[in-house]
């Protein structure tokens, strides 16, 4: 309970992206779900530190609008005459395994190495009739299977990224939630549509998907840590964003007061993805704002 309270009402952040993120020149980064919310804030911070960033998103129109918005905000903050970098669009539908394979292939045809992957995108409590193109529960299929397949497809680029980095590491940052602590196992009978899935309900299906993010992150660290891949999971905090678009209005009215501005939501994953402090703790779990956490067993 103490941990839940601390993560819901975290202390003032000590991490300042403008001050603390090192220069990222030469780094190639992908952020999934980067056209909105926490992902968009993450991309803005990375671009301002000279990284080459791909915004992986389903809608080209929404991504291009977000890229233009981010670019404008960065240019306004730079000295006169300095233009900064633009994010690059990568078509990705995390609810379609073929689309994911195609996106990874397209990226690797353009880039020999990937240094940092933010598995940031996701869905939360969508209508219960929604499933992925491949017949999986939309939340687990998008949040876990989609990101897992994308990461594994990108392994050659991540391994090349580790080899080309001065520290010999590439990082995979998996955005989870404190919802992962609300459930203690994954029920594989609920991953496809059927009676068990309907019985579990969309809120517990969301909790299960967030636990799945942690499980995947830890297993990736275990399997590929010796080859230079660092994998972490995190709770970004209680943040007001487009993620809650399907949440019941009554729930938002009751608990909306605890939601923080979206800018805070990017802090923890930016710290985990760029700080030297987190590179020697493979398989770690982190909490808001930019603190080391402990995932309950």
């Amino acid at each position: 309970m103490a941990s839940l309270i601390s993560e819901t009402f975290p202390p003032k952040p000590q991490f300042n992206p403008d001050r603390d993120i090192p220069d990222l020149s030469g780094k190639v980064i992908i952020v999934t779900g980067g056209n909105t919310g926490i992902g968009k804030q993450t991309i803005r911070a990375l671009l301002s530190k000279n990284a080459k960033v791909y915004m992986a998103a389903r809608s080209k129109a929404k991504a291009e609008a977000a890229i233009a918005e981010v670019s404008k905000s960065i240019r306004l903050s730079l000295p006169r005459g300095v233009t900064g970098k633009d994010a690059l669009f990568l078509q990705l539908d995390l609810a379609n395994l073929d689309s994911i394979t195609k996106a990874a292939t397209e990226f690797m045809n353009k880039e020999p190495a990937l240094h940092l992957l933010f598995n940031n995108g996701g869905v939360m409590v969508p209508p219960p009739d929604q499933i992925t193109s491949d017949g999986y529960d939309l939340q687990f299929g998008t949040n876990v299977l989609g990101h897992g397949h994308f990461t594994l497809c990108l392994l050659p680029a991540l391994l090349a990224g580790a080899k080309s980095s001065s520290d010999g590491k590439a990082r995979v940052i998996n955005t989870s939630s404190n919802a992962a602590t609300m459930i203690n196992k994954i029920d594989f009978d609920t991953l496809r549509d059927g009676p068990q899935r309907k019985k579990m309900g969309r809120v517990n299906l969301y909790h299960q998907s967030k636990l799945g993010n942690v499980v995947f992150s830890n297993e990736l660290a275990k399997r590929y840590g010796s080859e230079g891949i660092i994998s972490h999971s995190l709770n970004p905090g209680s943040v007001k964003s487009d993620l809650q678009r399907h949440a019941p209005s009554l729930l938002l009215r009751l608990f909306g007061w605890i939601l923080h501005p979206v800018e805070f939501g990017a802090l923890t994953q930016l710290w985990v993805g760029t700080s030297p402090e987190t590179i020697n703790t493979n398989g770690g779990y982190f909490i808001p704002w930019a603190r080391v956490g402990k995932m309950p067993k």
Side-chain angles (χ1 to χ4, degrees), residues 274-286:
T274 65
S275 173
E277 298 173 60
T278 61
I279 206 161
N280 295 317
T281 316
N282 205 359
Y285 179 75
F286 299 85

Side-chain angles (χ1 to χ4, degrees), residues 148-170:
H149 184 55
F150 192 47
T151 304
L152 296 178
C153 286
L154 289 167
L155 272 178
L158 286 164
L159 292 169
K163 290 179 181 177
S164 65
S165 295
S166 58
D167 56 14
K169 308 293 184 184

